[in-house]
Amino acid sequence: MSKPATAKLSADDRAIFGAIADFLVPKTAKMPAATEVGVAAGGIDDVLKFRPDLIEDFHRGLEKAKGLTGAKAAELLFETDKDAFGAVSLAASGAYYMSPKVRQIIGYPGQESLTYDNHETPDYLTNGMLERVARRGPTYKPTPR
């Protein structure tokens, strides 16, 4: 079976995904709901572009969810098709946390290129961060059998 392209998401597909995403990532006092940050608009396209391995399961999940509310669709997928549920829920959370608005709220600027001088003594060796670990001494817990 060939994998469907993300561009083939219809308005109905996006609405179904948005309903499921809003159930999985609802609005809270501090955070917006999934559809408020565009997960069903452009966010899902970005996720599926970066994770093409999810496309087949994602589309199967949307097909099974037709005509259901977000809550009922998520429950059905969770109970009957774990792979589809995993793809849809991962796509929802991925698109949510890729949103610039969400990243700003949680204080995550994205990946940054940091310089590193391998000749400089790291701060954690001089700022006392490791003192309590050294004072505690070695600990050992045997692996359970």
Side-chain angles (χ1 to χ4, degrees):
M1 179 169 156
S2 66
K3 293 184 179 182
T6 61
K8 293 189 178 177
L9 285 175
S10 68
D12 287 342
D13 290 338
R14 291 178 188 280
I16 292 165
F17 175 64
I20 297 169
D22 276 346
F23 172 72
L24 297 173
V25 187
K27 180 179 178 116
T28 66
K30 295 181 181 180
M31 300 298 290
T35 54
E36 290 178 28
V37 296
V39 299
I44 185 57
D45 298 322
D46 291 339
V47 168
L48 295 178
K49 178 177 65 175
F50 292 123
R51 291 291 310 269
D53 58 307
L54 298 177
I55 293 173
E56 189 173 325
D57 293 334
F58 177 81
H59 280 279
R60 188 175 65 252
L62 294 185
E63 190 63 34
K64 288 183 175 187
K66 285 186 177 177
L68 301 174
T69 65
K72 291 289 185 190
E75 184 179 318
L76 173 76
L77 293 177
F78 180 77
E79 291 176 355
T80 64
D81 191 339
K82 299 283 189 199
D83 290 337
F85 177 78
V88 171
S89 60
L90 181 61
S93 62
Y96 188 76
Y97 286 106
M98 286 172 60
S99 161
K101 182 176 181 180
V102 172
R103 289 189 2 221
Q104 179 187 14
I105 293 169
I106 65 174
Y108 176 64
Q111 294 181 344
E112 300 174 321
S113 176
L114 303 176
T115 58
Y116 174 73
D117 181 0
N118 61 346
H119 298 293
E120 185 178 312
T121 303
D123 288 341
Y124 63 84
L125 292 177
T126 59
N127 68 6
M129 182 186 294
L130 298 177
E131 284 180 33
R132 72 183 177 107
V133 176
R135 279 194 314 265
R136 179 192 69 211
T139 61
Y140 172 75
K141 292 184 180 181
T143 304
R145 293 183 189 245

